[in-house]
Amino acid sequence: MVDLHRTPPTWKKGQCGRLVRVKDPRIASRLAVMGILPGSKVYVMQVKAWRGGYYMKIDGKNLALRAREAAALEIDF
Amino acid sequence: MMHRPFTLALVGNPNSGKSSLFNLLTGLRQKVANFPGVTVDVKVGRMRVGTQQVRVVDLPGAYSLYPNADDERVVLNVLANPSDPNYPDGVVYVADLTNLEKHLLLLTQLRDLGLPVILALNMADIAWREGLEIDEQQLARRLGVPVVCISAREAFHIEELRQLIEQMVQQPETFRVARPFYRLSAKEEAVAKQVAQVSQLCGGDHLYCMLLWAHHYEELLFLSDAQRQRIATIVQQAGFQSLRHQIDETMARYDAFLPLIREVVKRIDGARASLTDRLDAVLTHKVAGPIVFFVIMLLVFQAIYAWAEVPMSWIEHVFAALSTTLKQHLPKGWATDLLTDGVVSGLGGILVFIPQIAILFFLISILEEVGYMARVVYLFDRVLQVFGMNGRSIVALISGGACAIPAIMSTRTISSWKERLITILVTPFISCSARIPVYAVLVGFVVPAQVSWGPFNVQGLVFMGLYVLGILAALLAALVFKYVLKGQGNSLLLFELPVYRPPQWRNVLITVYEKVRTFVWEAGRIIMVISVVLWFLASYGPSGALEQAEQAALRQAQMQHLSAEQAGDLVAAQKIKASWAGVMGKAIEPLIQPLGFDWKIGIALITSFAAREVFVGTMATIYSIGSTEDELTIREYMTRDRRPDGTPVFSLATALSLLLFYVFAMQCMSTLAVVRRETGSWRWPLVQFVLMTSVAWLSSFAVYQLLS
């Protein structure tokens, strides 16, 4: 289950890297069905004020994530 | 078994262009079907294939048969249940050719369910423009399903698809693939076989269907409690870890088809994606994004007010003229009155909203079509989450400033039921255009027009204050509902932002047509009934009372030598005072006296329940100036009105109290009717009515008691 108190990631706009793993199984399965698996290329397009949300490009797909959901992604920048 | 038409389901990921294809195949021969327990729209239509009628079901977009949202739950519940009335005899799977590797997972699952499938690769026009090449025959051979490249937006190669559908209707068996795409692991197979014994529906040949039951038995609405219990036991005893297996299965499927796609699709990076990125650098920027959004909304509102005014006044005139003509040509009597003042004016009251609804949805669906609305959801999601709503609620809250009816209808895009319900419940707090005439009459009592504070006109500031109060009330109420209502509010958001593309006018027009039709049929019927009831209350009274009032008024008119028009106004005033509405106004007087209202205002409160702007007309009738609709004249008469003890009825305290009442009260039967339709029961409109009326009463009470 999603940990409500997890702090949002400190990614910055313009960073890019590769997805290492997804710590939350619910989010992992959601991403997997969209074709986003470990090894996918990640690019941070936008970060909302107070890290309230993230707009990412992952393997060419544009995705909006809430802070809690983004916190589940482990990315190797 | 009863003969039923061949049922063809359109299945595909969100943003695959499935709905465009549906519109293309069925035209206007479509309707929204109800699925028990969910609020997701599923469209059903008809198409002709050769000599046969085919029923086409447009299932919601889904990424897989592992549901994460209500729409995906609908897809699973239909496809995992061969006895479902919408269970397809064949499937057209729509996939975005420009993004094929992300679109094939669900297809491989459908194949394993043993369904006859055609793969339609959509957006071929864009793919080819971008220099994407695909070997269709190779793909068809390797997947084992027929493949056709189409473009729903350009109606390209649709005839080829129709021919394939015709073949499938005639010989569905030849479209089934026997060998499974994914081989179940030993544990999965064991569990599936045990589950097969629980089911009466599927035999052992549908092992994959049984595996789905094992994964999702809690979400399959068609299972009996006993079946669910038995599957739970099987799953527990086997130590079956559903999520783990789902992820493994997904990976295995990807491992199988990704190399295949790399082989058959040759791509060059598209220009479209880079255009989207450039636009999004501004449109989703944390500062520029919201500013652009508010500018767009400002333009949308300008358009609604500017374009709707003419057709609205045109509709009003037509109905006024119709009513007058009918009165002139039909014999005098209650039946004519019912027809003209009840039915015709009720009908006018419904149809007058059409221009606003049509224009709002026209513009919103263009924004949706080009892909902009998904960005808005992203921008406002965080802020609205604090209030128990979601990014999509912003559309409803802003549209509420024009009219709550289309605003509430627009909440269908919110997939979480709790977030949607909260949005529906608080949207009517936002001051809509019908409150403007009421504010305009009453603001004059609070501050004289000439007073100003520096560059600001104080009346203007009060006006703005009323709007701000409405917004604050909406947010506060949302916060309360967030904690009071049960259910999971914070669903996963995690959605895809589609690439920007030009709108498809066919889809835009169908959306407008559907919304207008829904409003007229669903809400219209209820509005009609209430209009007739209100007509009855205002035109009839306790026996003899109306006749006596009319005689007395005529005598008075004679004594005062009034003109025919003035005499008519006086008669109307005396009659409404003697009517049931008048009786009710007097009956509720003890309730509204603490707010500073007398029974005359009581009558206006009752009649303006039809729609707020009726307040002004009713006040005009009561003050015997029914034939003028000039706000200044009405205000003058209201100023002169005195209570029995000589104090003015409309003091600062009363006027403020009445203003607050109109800011907060649920004085709109059309909205209640729409809320009933959208929530499926009278429970929520009732909650909304009681809440809003209580807030209105308490705030009016507080203001009046403090100031008087």
Side-chain angles (χ1 to χ4, degrees):
Chain A
M1 275 291 106
V2 181
D3 177 2
L4 291 170
H5 304 288
R6 203 150 46 192
T7 45
T10 52
W11 308 331
K12 289 194 186 69
K13 188 170 154 177
Q15 274 187 302
C16 56
R18 273 185 195 277
L19 183 63
V20 179
R21 67 183 185 113
V22 183
K23 287 172 263 183
D24 183 310
R26 207 156 65 107
I27 295 168
S29 100
R30 181 81 178 144
L31 287 172
V33 298
M34 294 169 122
I36 293 163
L37 303 166
S40 294
K41 282 176 277 177
V42 179
Y43 178 80
V44 183
M45 304 260 293
Q46 296 281 356
V47 177
K48 249 191 273 187
W50 300 290
R51 292 191 232 138
Y54 298 82
Y55 176 2
M56 326 270 288
K57 194 185 254 309
I58 308 185
D59 259 2
K61 212 177 183 103
N62 296 335
L63 283 184
L65 289 106
R66 287 180 173 169
R68 272 184 292 120
E69 296 160 357
L73 308 190
E74 194 179 311
I75 297 168
D76 185 13
F77 286 112
Chain B
M1 210 175 110
M2 230 176 67
H3 176 74
R4 65 165 207 169
F6 188 93
T7 298
L8 178 78
L10 298 187
V11 185
N13 290 16
N15 304 316
S16 60
K18 202 165 50 62
S19 298
S20 305
L21 179 62
F22 177 75
N23 289 336
L24 204 62
L25 291 177
T26 63
L28 282 177
R29 296 177 297 272
Q30 48 173 272
K31 63 183 173 69
V32 175
N34 283 324
F35 274 69
V38 291
T39 53
V40 178
D41 273 355
V42 177
K43 284 186 177 169
V44 178
R46 288 186 178 279
M47 70 181 280
R48 226 182 158 75
V49 172
T51 54
Q52 252 186 310
Q53 279 281 351
V54 170
R55 205 166 152 264
V56 188
V57 181
D58 182 22
L59 287 175
Y63 289 105
S64 72
L65 293 173
Y66 312 134
N68 274 297
D70 271 355
D71 345 29
E72 297 191 325
R73 247 160 242 134
V74 171
V75 178
L76 174 71
N77 269 284
V78 171
L79 297 180
N81 177 17
S83 350
D84 190 283
N86 287 305
Y87 186 78
D89 301 303
V91 173
V92 170
Y93 185 85
V94 187
D96 178 354
L97 175 52
T98 62
N99 215 344
L100 197 54
E101 62 276 23
K102 310 286 185 219
H103 279 250
L104 282 192
L105 175 67
L106 180 57
L107 172 80
T108 65
Q109 289 184 307
L110 296 184
R111 241 198 58 157
D112 289 355
L113 279 175
L115 286 163
V117 188
I118 295 169
L119 171 59
L121 297 173
N122 194 16
M123 312 199 197
D125 54 333
I126 295 170
W128 292 344
R129 199 169 58 218
E130 288 177 4
L132 213 79
E133 278 175 38
I134 178 156
D135 185 347
E136 289 164 62
Q137 285 169 350
Q138 168 85 333
L139 184 67
R141 204 164 43 240
R142 299 279 292 273
L143 286 173
V145 298
V147 176
V148 57
C149 283
I150 62 163
S151 164
R153 56 187 303 120
E154 301 289 333
F156 172 75
H157 279 196
I158 298 301
E159 204 35 53
E160 286 183 16
L161 176 63
R162 274 177 185 277
Q163 282 169 10
L164 272 174
I165 294 174
E166 192 173 350
Q167 284 173 28
M168 182 157 78
V169 171
Q170 283 158 0
Q171 295 172 307
E173 288 313 312
T174 54
F175 284 72
R176 267 186 237 276
V177 197
R179 100 196 114 84
F181 192 86
Y182 168 71
R183 282 206 183 284
L184 273 55
S185 68
K187 182 168 232 167
E188 285 170 332
E189 195 172 332
V191 169
K193 278 185 174 156
Q194 275 182 288
V195 174
Q197 289 164 3
V198 176
S199 86
Q200 305 284 313
L201 300 165
C202 299
D205 53 333
H206 281 127
L207 269 190
Y208 187 63
C209 181
M210 293 301 100
L211 181 65
L212 289 177
W213 285 29
H215 279 306
H216 309 298
Y217 60 91
E218 281 170 331
E219 305 188 79
L220 297 174
L221 305 170
F222 55 86
L223 292 181
S224 69
D225 286 342
Q227 283 175 318
R228 206 166 285 142
Q229 195 52 50
R230 284 183 60 196
I231 299 175
T233 317
I234 293 170
V235 167
Q236 264 168 17
Q237 281 174 354
F240 180 68
Q241 286 185 313
S242 177
L243 259 180
R244 187 70 257 152
H245 284 287
Q246 283 180 36
I247 294 174
D248 287 348
E249 183 192 321
T250 307
M251 305 267 251
R253 286 182 189 273
Y254 269 103
D255 282 347
F257 67 69
L258 279 183
L260 165 64
I261 291 171
R262 275 184 217 119
E263 232 174 90
V264 297
V265 182
K266 303 264 175 282
R267 72 161 61 237
I268 312 164
D269 261 345
R272 200 164 53 120
S274 64
L275 173 69
T276 294
D277 291 352
R278 279 207 300 278
L279 282 173
D280 274 347
V282 179
L283 297 180
T284 62
H285 187 269
K286 59 187 170 190
V287 181
I291 294 175
V292 173
F293 172 72
F294 283 111
V295 170
I296 291 179
M297 280 298 133
L298 203 72
L299 293 175
V300 167
F301 269 81
Q302 280 299 316
I304 292 177
Y305 282 114
W307 298 343
E309 203 188 323
V310 173
M312 280 173 87
S313 66
W314 189 77
I315 293 172
E316 277 168 354
H317 279 120
V318 166
F319 277 87
L322 183 66
S323 175
T324 319
T325 321
L326 285 174
K327 269 187 185 154
Q328 278 166 357
H329 290 88
L330 291 174
K332 256 193 162 145
W334 69 269
T336 308
D337 285 349
L338 171 65
L339 187 67
T340 55
D341 296 338
V343 177
V344 172
S345 75
L347 205 61
I350 299 162
L351 299 184
V352 79
F353 284 111
I354 289 181
Q356 281 196 353
I357 293 181
I359 294 170
L360 180 68
F361 278 106
F362 176 73
L363 298 172
I364 297 268
S365 65
I366 290 178
L367 294 177
E368 183 87 54
E369 277 281 313
V370 297
Y372 181 65
M373 280 334 261
R375 273 71 188 180
V376 177
V377 175
Y378 162 77
L379 281 176
F380 291 96
D381 181 62
R382 179 78 190 96
V383 181
L384 289 169
Q385 251 184 288
V386 175
F387 298 97
M389 292 181 275
N390 125 350
R392 292 206 168 250
S393 311
I394 192 81
V395 182
L397 294 176
I398 288 194
S399 316
C403 176
I405 296 163
I408 286 170
M409 283 157 69
S410 73
T411 60
R412 290 199 181 173
T413 49
I414 303 173
S415 67
S416 148
W417 168 241
K418 184 176 168 182
E419 289 168 345
R420 175 166 179 233
L421 184 61
I422 293 179
T423 312
I424 291 177
L425 290 175
V426 306
T427 295
F429 272 120
I430 306 289
S431 284
C432 62
S433 58
R435 282 166 170 106
I436 293 175
V438 183
Y439 291 173
V441 168
L442 293 174
V443 154
F445 288 101
V446 181
V447 267
Q450 52 277 24
V451 180
S452 56
W453 262 356
F456 299 106
N457 173 297
V458 178
Q459 279 198 349
L461 288 179
V462 172
F463 239 97
M464 202 181 83
L466 295 171
Y467 274 86
V468 172
L469 262 181
I471 296 168
L472 288 180
L475 293 180
L476 207 66
L479 211 54
V480 172
F481 282 125
K482 179 184 169 184
Y483 292 106
V484 172
L485 291 177
K486 288 196 191 78
Q488 207 194 5
N490 270 339
S491 51
L492 282 182
L493 188 74
L494 216 163
F495 63 99
E496 200 186 328
L497 299 157
V499 170
Y500 291 109
R501 38 177 85 116
Q504 282 190 264
W505 299 107
R506 194 187 305 113
N507 293 351
V508 172
L509 294 178
I510 285 179
T511 306
V512 171
Y513 169 80
E514 286 261 304
K515 297 288 176 188
V516 169
R517 195 189 62 166
T518 309
F519 169 72
V520 171
W521 283 119
E522 301 295 330
R525 285 186 299 205
I526 300 168
I527 299 172
M528 197 73 206
V529 170
I530 302 181
S531 297
V532 171
V533 171
L534 285 174
W535 163 80
F536 175 82
L537 291 177
S539 336
Y540 287 85
S543 70
L546 284 186
E547 289 75 11
Q548 281 172 18
E550 185 170 359
Q551 294 305 326
L554 285 175
R555 273 200 303 277
Q556 192 187 343
Q558 224 164 21
M559 270 160 50
Q560 295 178 345
H561 306 290
L562 297 181
S563 70
E565 193 174 78
Q566 287 170 319
D569 285 348
L570 186 65
V571 169
Q574 297 306 329
K575 275 170 91 172
I576 195 169
K577 286 175 193 170
S579 69
W580 288 117
V583 171
M584 283 168 74
K586 285 190 189 112
I588 64 165
E589 199 175 16
L591 264 180
I592 55 175
Q593 218 159 23
L595 316 182
F597 306 161
D598 66 354
W599 60 274
K600 281 175 259 175
I601 302 179
I603 298 178
L605 289 186
I606 290 169
T607 56
S608 69
F609 179 63
R612 295 174 177 94
E613 66 270 26
V614 173
F615 173 84
V616 179
T618 308
M619 286 318 257
T621 310
I622 294 173
Y623 288 108
S624 343
I625 43 168
S627 39
T628 64
E629 286 257 331
D630 179 13
E631 280 157 10
L632 278 176
T633 326
I634 296 164
R635 197 184 296 159
E636 211 172 284
Y637 274 80
M638 286 162 75
T639 319
R640 272 191 244 146
D641 198 16
R642 291 282 180 271
R643 292 177 199 279
D645 61 8
T647 53
V649 172
F650 284 92
S651 59
L652 172 71
T654 316
L656 255 185
S657 155
L658 195 53
L659 266 178
L660 284 185
F661 193 87
Y662 272 95
V663 170
F664 297 128
M666 172 43 113
Q667 288 284 95
C668 180
M669 61 181 181
S670 323
T671 303
L672 288 173
V674 168
V675 173
R676 195 215 87 90
R677 195 202 119 81
E678 294 296 313
T679 59
S681 84
W682 279 108
R683 182 173 163 209
W684 296 113
L686 201 71
V687 165
Q688 196 171 34
F689 180 73
V690 170
L691 170 86
M692 293 182 70
T693 312
S694 312
V695 172
W697 195 92
L698 287 173
S699 51
S700 295
F701 177 78
V703 162
Y704 183 73
Q705 296 299 331
L706 276 175
L707 292 181
S708 66

